[in-house]
Amino acid sequence: MLPPTQLIIRLAPGHVRRLADRPTLDQIVGGPSLLLAWLEVQLGLPHAEMHRAARVMQFATALDSVSDACFTRSMQADRWATASELLERRDGLMLCGWDGKPNDTHPRIARDLARAEAVHTDGFPGIAERIAAVGEALHAGQILPSHQCQLEEPLEYWPKAWQAILTKLNVCQPDVSVPLSPNSSALFKAACVVRGQKPSSISCDASLRVTQTRSDTAAVEFVAAVLANSPEKLSTTVVYCEDDALAVRLDACLQRIGLPTMGASLQTRAHPVLQVLPLSLELCWDPVDPQCLLDFLTLPVLPLPRPAASSLARALSEQPGLGSEAWESAFAELCKTSEADDGKLKDCLLEWLGGQRSPHGEPIASELISDQCKRVAKWAVGRATVIWQNDSLTPTDEQIAIVLHEASRQASLLASLVELVGDLIAQPQLGRLLEEVMDRGAESKPCLEAEGGPVRVRSLSEIADPYDRLIWLGTGTADTPACRWSVKQIREFANAGIIIDDGTHRLRSLRAAEARGFCLVRESMLTVLLPQNAERRSHPFWLAIEQQLPKDPKPVAVEDLIERDEGQGLWPFVFNCQAVRVVSSQPMRALWEIPARLLRDREYVSASELQDRLACPLKWTLQYQAGLRSSEIASLPDDYQLRGNLFHKIIERVFGNEGDLPSVEQAVAQVEETFDKRLPLDAAPLAQPDKRVESHRLRNELSKATRVFVTALRSGGYQSVKIEWPLDGSAFGKQLKGWIDCVATRADGREAVVDFKYGGRNKYYDMIKDGESLQLATYALSRRSETGHFPAVAYLILSDGMLFTPSGSPLEGVASAEVIDGPSIESVWNNFSAAIIAADDWLTTDKPVPARPLQDASDWPGGTELVLKEKLPKGDTQSVCRYCDYTRLCGIEVIQ
């Protein structure tokens, strides 16, 4: 005859961790949900798991049928949140014995809910309905197998619906919980305090140690060192840590030093696999948010082939917009490549990126959203199936497959919910549904639970078996849920015979379970106080224990023990100290010994390269000789760069046909039309709804700059312009490479070079005044090789609509207010070229390669003041360093 099944049931929330290595097939330990599942299995009552979101949707429909209810205005303001809250209240009332019928003695909200309940007859079953089905089966004469049900709390703590079931079970009294620690020890006294017995003063001894740390890092490193010093106690040690992130960090420390890990996990909605659904839904709105699109293309697990996604991501980082010139070029190249695989790649890209879209702020067809959800679900389950079929399945692959199944479940559920809404769904409503289906997220477990390692618990109530040591890492705790009903409503329900727990029974159950878990420690406990304890509510148990501890001295800090090399100070929780010499990072070096045979001059030169060559030969060497490049991780350009790129591209589209200059009004009209058309394609971040004010301002800026530009050129007699014109000629015996923003030509053949800059009015004003406009000088040299003389030059500041030209090489027809007293562009080039020649000995001899921004200004060769400032404002850097990828190599980043 089989022994009776032992049911150890409690009301306290949370699961139970079994520490003892013993079979438990005939023992079930848990809460009401576990008991209900056991009863349904024994009675043959099938239960299909239904997501809460589906119940909310159906209950919201029932609530809509009730007019002039106390919650009507709330339903109009936020239908989903109101229905969700009322469903929780309805389920709670049903558990407490509410029959769902109107009663004048009930609060108004219950009477209004009863009206909704009348049309909610075929709703998805909740806990109360499932308990009622169990009761009906038992009343009909069905017999449960032999069992003993041990209730940890009194029967009156349970809701009325449960009480009717529990009276039909073979209920027995729970075992008396007593502290297992040695009598008269500090730990025993602490356990007595926790159990609510008469408090007595506690002096810390070997059974109870308290310490503090000044950082989370020190705390996890300290606990890991303590565990490493007592490997024989690992499997009988419980680490109580409510903070999931802190427990994961402790696991990382254990893994690093070779100890078995606890398997700490984070329940997160931010798992990369789960981001496929929300990011793919963002592609359904026009214009597509390029940041969301970039996030989609750079996911570690995504529905597109990785090479294709990387190619499109690079195009997006160049021109952030789906449909930009860079995007279309990359897409066409991928489709051309796709011809070799019968167009499968093209079909895949069009399926995910080429669907219909709805304008931001307007409802979208539910069918489109449903199709996208089903597409995600199909991909996720297919990808998971492929992983499971892999013969060499790793634990990491297994975790990814599990999350893929969760992603498929979420997408399928959202598709079903969207179809229940109607033909159209608004963006906020879709966001609500998405948030609901993704509520539980996915478990992320960086380190798996290893055999023989410590056991981590989030609550003392999870502990069900005796253990040797308790490490309490952080004494802060979360607040318990508040009661959903007011005191008056609870009293009115009580007068009607419906007893609602105001949270007292739940809290008492939790504290009783925690006390039982605390009493199961046999030997010792270590409490580690963390800095954030001051910002969180302390656990009531720790507050009670702390009141009995000596007020002085305060707990010693781990950092002080390390400094004094007192690793035995918290015995038996000891650790070893080891002195290690810290090797500094890359030191700052102004001179670098690089053999001249490793350096060679380039075959061509450019404006930016020549400036770097004079300002910082080290940067020039690392970039043009060593070929060091920054990471290829795609990212969107910042707003400043994005605005500049957009303005350049629009001007190029309007004036890039090498024809005659249009009239001012024609040019402005063309620029504004092109801006409206290209903004959502080439600079989509600026076309998002929250950027409307900024985009309108940018449009006005570009119109003003265009008006100034065309007016000045026409006034000076310039008849045609060339935009993005290639450099011609040579410098230092080498070919010039690059592009000039604008070359304007008069009827007499005289030219003007205009360089477009988005901002920096004061900067470029000073550069012209001080003869430091080196980029313009290089462009002017290029035109001299073709025309025989240096052209006029100017900077067009796009954001301010201002044109700056030097008095030494002025544009014709420019207002005197914009002609700056500055040298001719020919003299600027002569000074620039002379400075480069005089400072180039590092390239042709064995002299060290200088990092000139790190040198004292007195060591700079003559002419470098063109590119370097002797005195800089506090906290500022040389311009050559602001966009340098090598500041960690030269050491300048360390000193900043």
Side-chain angles (χ1 to χ4, degrees):
M1 182 177 178
L2 295 175
T5 301
Q6 290 184 317
L7 303 170
I8 303 176
I9 306 299
R10 60 180 193 175
L11 275 174
H15 69 286
V16 177
R17 293 292 304 269
R18 301 313 307 259
L19 311 181
D21 186 16
R22 64 186 183 189
T24 57
L25 294 178
D26 61 343
Q27 187 181 80
I28 297 176
V29 182
S33 59
L34 195 65
L35 175 60
L36 179 58
W38 182 82
L39 289 169
E40 288 175 329
V41 170
Q42 306 308 317
L43 297 173
L45 299 174
H47 167 62
E49 184 178 357
M50 178 60 61
H51 195 279
R52 179 178 173 277
R55 299 189 64 228
V56 173
M57 287 285 292
Q58 193 174 57
F59 194 62
T61 303
L63 295 173
D64 290 337
S65 66
V66 181
S67 59
D68 298 327
C70 62
F71 46 74
T72 298
R73 294 181 62 183
S74 296
M75 286 288 292
Q76 294 171 350
D78 194 335
R79 183 174 183 269
W80 180 268
T82 304
S84 176
E85 170 67 20
L86 292 177
L87 179 61
E88 290 286 345
R89 296 195 179 206
R90 177 260 183 199
D91 288 346
L93 286 176
M94 297 290 285
L95 283 174
C96 295
W98 182 57
D99 58 6
K101 297 179 180 179
N103 189 319
D104 293 338
T105 63
H106 292 172
R108 182 187 173 186
I109 187 173
R111 299 196 300 270
D112 290 340
L113 284 176
R115 293 161 59 193
E117 193 67 22
V119 298
H120 190 243
T121 53
D122 297 327
F124 298 124
I127 299 296
E129 287 84 357
R130 293 170 59 191
I131 293 175
V134 170
E136 292 174 2
L138 293 176
H139 182 74
Q142 286 190 250
I143 305 298
L144 291 171
S146 177
H147 66 276
Q148 285 185 338
C149 182
Q150 176 180 305
L151 297 181
E152 300 289 355
E153 293 85 14
L155 186 62
E156 58 267 21
Y157 279 22
W158 288 74
K160 186 175 181 179
W162 268 115
Q163 292 180 19
I165 300 297
L166 294 174
T167 54
K168 299 180 181 181
L169 303 182
N170 185 14
V171 176
C172 59
Q173 295 298 317
D175 298 331
V176 179
S177 176
V178 295
L180 301 183
S181 50
N183 291 342
S184 74
S185 67
L187 181 57
F188 182 86
K189 294 179 181 179
C192 292
V193 170
V194 164
R195 296 178 66 210
Q197 298 178 4
K198 184 177 180 180
S200 59
S201 59
I202 302 174
S203 297
C204 290
D205 56 19
S207 68
L208 176 60
R209 298 294 187 186
V210 183
T211 187
Q212 61 180 332
T213 63
R214 300 188 181 101
S215 70
D216 292 348
T217 300
V220 294
E221 292 287 354
F222 163 66
V223 172
V226 166
L227 294 173
N229 231 338
S230 304
E232 72 283 356
K233 292 287 187 181
L234 281 177
S235 60
T236 57
T237 298
V238 169
V239 177
Y240 169 31
C241 178
E242 287 195 29
D243 189 335
D244 289 338
L246 193 64
V248 168
R249 292 178 64 182
L250 176 56
D251 249 355
C253 292
L254 297 177
Q255 185 182 55
R256 191 188 71 245
I257 61 179
L259 292 180
T261 50
M262 307 177 296
S265 62
L266 289 166
Q267 198 71 20
T268 175
R269 294 166 56 179
H271 194 286
V273 171
L274 298 186
Q275 297 309 301
V276 174
L277 177 60
L279 290 176
S280 64
L281 292 178
E282 286 293 336
L283 305 183
C284 296
W285 305 97
D286 187 44
V288 173
D289 186 338
Q291 186 60 61
C292 294
L293 178 56
L294 182 63
D295 291 343
F296 178 77
L297 294 173
T298 54
L299 284 172
V301 180
L302 79 163
L304 304 179
R306 173 58 57 197
S310 298
S311 177
L312 293 174
R314 286 192 295 271
L316 204 62
S317 63
E318 181 181 343
Q319 288 182 315
L322 194 156
S324 67
E325 185 177 340
W327 176 277
E328 293 296 337
S329 176
F331 194 89
E333 185 64 29
L334 290 172
C335 292
K336 182 179 179 181
T337 306
S338 177
E339 295 176 0
D341 62 355
D342 297 328
K344 293 180 181 178
L345 175 58
K346 180 180 179 180
D347 293 341
C348 178
L349 295 176
L350 290 175
E351 180 183 16
W352 286 95
L353 304 174
Q356 297 181 30
R357 298 183 176 86
S358 178
H360 275 286
E362 295 185 13
I364 191 171
S366 300
E367 184 180 0
L368 292 179
I369 297 296
S370 177
D371 289 344
Q372 189 79 321
C373 293
K374 292 175 181 177
R375 188 175 295 115
V376 173
K378 179 181 178 181
W379 162 79
V381 74
R383 184 70 174 266
T385 302
V386 171
I387 292 176
W388 286 122
Q389 292 174 348
N390 189 354
D391 295 333
S392 56
L393 187 66
T394 66
T396 301
D397 293 335
E398 185 176 350
Q399 287 191 52
I400 292 177
I402 293 173
V403 181
L404 282 166
H405 275 292
E406 174 63 20
S408 177
R409 184 197 69 84
Q410 292 179 0
S412 299
L413 176 60
L414 184 58
S416 302
L417 295 177
V418 167
E419 290 171 353
L420 294 176
V421 172
D423 295 335
L424 297 174
I425 183 170
Q427 198 167 3
Q429 189 177 11
L430 177 61
R432 281 284 193 181
L433 295 179
L434 179 64
E435 183 179 356
E436 190 68 25
V437 301
M438 295 184 67
D439 60 342
R440 70 186 188 188
E443 185 179 50
S444 176
K445 188 179 292 187
C447 300
L448 300 179
E449 186 174 0
E451 184 177 354
V455 175
R456 182 259 174 144
V457 297
R458 292 183 175 88
S459 170
L460 293 170
S461 63
E462 297 179 18
I463 307 171
D465 297 318
Y467 56 103
D468 290 341
R469 300 191 305 175
L470 172 65
I471 296 179
W472 193 339
L473 184 55
T475 56
T477 190
D479 294 330
T480 54
C483 181
R484 299 178 182 273
W485 302 98
S486 68
V487 174
K488 179 183 178 182
Q489 289 171 332
I490 292 176
R491 184 168 58 249
E492 291 175 344
F493 278 123
N495 293 335
I498 300 175
I499 306 302
I500 297 177
D501 179 21
D502 62 357
T504 301
H505 292 165
R506 177 185 176 91
L507 185 59
R508 287 177 177 174
S509 301
L510 175 62
R511 297 297 177 233
E514 290 177 328
R516 289 192 294 270
F518 188 90
C519 290
L520 290 173
V521 60
R522 288 183 290 228
E523 295 181 3
S524 56
M525 180 181 82
L526 169 67
T527 302
V528 183
L529 307 178
L530 303 176
Q532 62 263 36
N533 289 346
E535 301 176 1
R536 297 188 65 192
R537 186 172 69 88
S538 293
H539 196 287
F541 284 5
W542 177 248
L543 287 176
I545 295 172
E546 191 178 37
Q547 290 298 318
Q548 309 308 317
L549 292 173
K551 303 299 181 185
D552 193 57
K554 294 183 178 180
V556 63
V558 170
E559 291 86 347
D560 294 336
L561 292 176
I562 296 173
E563 184 179 4
R564 299 195 297 261
D565 196 10
E566 295 179 359
Q568 305 290 322
L570 297 172
W571 190 89
F573 300 97
V574 299
F575 60 92
N576 296 324
C577 293
Q578 182 180 1
V580 178
R581 189 175 72 87
V582 178
V583 179
S584 62
S585 59
Q586 172 68 33
M588 184 178 63
R589 285 192 287 167
L591 297 175
W592 290 62
E593 297 290 342
I594 302 177
R597 58 183 173 80
L598 298 181
L599 302 177
R600 66 178 183 274
D601 207 347
R602 306 181 77 211
E603 296 178 355
Y604 53 87
V605 292
S606 66
S608 58
E609 177 252 344
L610 288 175
Q611 290 185 71
D612 287 346
R613 180 167 166 174
L614 178 60
C616 184
L618 177 63
K619 177 182 178 180
W620 185 92
T621 301
L622 295 176
Q623 181 171 352
Y624 298 107
Q625 302 289 291
L628 299 184
R629 297 290 182 267
S630 58
S631 170
E632 291 189 357
I633 297 176
S635 62
L636 299 184
D638 58 45
D639 283 354
Y640 188 86
Q641 183 182 359
L642 184 59
R643 293 192 290 265
N645 292 343
L646 175 65
F647 280 17
H648 275 71
K649 285 294 182 182
I650 291 176
I651 292 175
E652 182 181 357
R653 285 179 177 274
V654 173
F655 299 98
N657 54 7
E658 301 181 32
D660 294 339
L661 269 175
S663 68
V664 174
E665 298 306 323
Q666 287 176 336
V668 171
Q670 291 177 28
V671 162
E672 290 179 346
E673 180 183 355
T674 306
F675 180 92
D676 295 338
K677 180 180 180 181
R678 301 307 303 181
L679 180 69
L681 301 177
D682 298 337
L686 302 175
Q688 300 306 306
D690 60 332
K691 296 285 188 178
R692 286 176 181 170
V693 174
E694 182 178 356
S695 62
H696 182 70
R697 176 180 59 81
L698 291 175
R699 189 176 189 268
N700 291 337
E701 286 181 358
L702 185 56
S703 299
K704 179 183 177 182
T706 302
R707 189 176 298 276
V708 169
F709 174 62
V710 177
T711 300
L713 293 184
R714 292 183 68 88
S715 298
Y718 298 97
Q719 298 177 342
S720 64
V721 293
K722 303 170 184 176
I723 304 297
E724 291 296 319
W725 197 252
L727 290 178
D728 196 7
S730 62
F732 306 104
K734 304 173 186 64
Q735 183 183 0
L736 279 170
K737 290 281 189 177
W739 304 85
I740 305 174
D741 286 346
C742 173
V743 178
T745 308
R746 288 165 49 99
D748 58 8
R750 295 168 61 187
E751 292 185 343
V753 169
V754 183
D755 196 21
F756 303 144
K757 301 296 182 183
Y758 175 72
R761 175 179 59 184
N762 295 335
K763 171 185 174 182
Y764 294 106
Y765 181 97
D766 292 340
M767 287 175 65
I768 288 180
K769 177 174 66 71
D770 299 333
E772 296 175 355
S773 47
L774 307 182
Q775 190 175 23
L776 274 178
T778 308
Y779 294 163
L781 175 71
S782 168
R783 299 312 303 162
R784 187 194 66 170
S785 65
E786 184 168 332
T787 64
H789 58 268
F790 278 88
V793 295
Y795 284 122
L796 176 63
I797 312 302
L798 299 170
S799 61
D800 297 290
M802 302 186 73
L803 194 72
F804 293 152
T805 184
S807 59
S809 302
L811 262 69
E812 299 290 339
V814 176
S816 59
E818 295 182 327
V819 177
I820 302 168
D821 185 15
S824 68
I825 203 65
E826 181 177 3
S827 64
V828 173
W829 170 255
N830 291 336
N831 294 336
F832 184 29
S833 60
I836 291 177
I837 294 172
D840 257 5
D841 54 350
W842 57 270
L843 184 58
T844 56
T845 68
D846 283 331
K847 284 190 175 183
V849 177
R852 289 198 177 118
L854 301 181
Q855 288 182 298
D856 189 270
S858 60
D859 296 328
W860 293 345
T864 50
E865 68 275 1
L866 291 172
V867 289
L868 296 174
K869 298 296 182 184
E870 184 174 351
K871 292 184 179 180
L872 291 169
K874 187 176 181 180
D876 201 2
T877 58
Q878 300 286 355
S879 59
V880 71
C881 301
R882 290 172 193 161
Y883 303 103
C884 179
D885 296 325
Y886 314 113
T887 52
R888 289 191 177 182
L889 293 180
C890 73
I892 195 172
E893 187 171 325
V894 177
I895 65 173
Q896 290 176 351

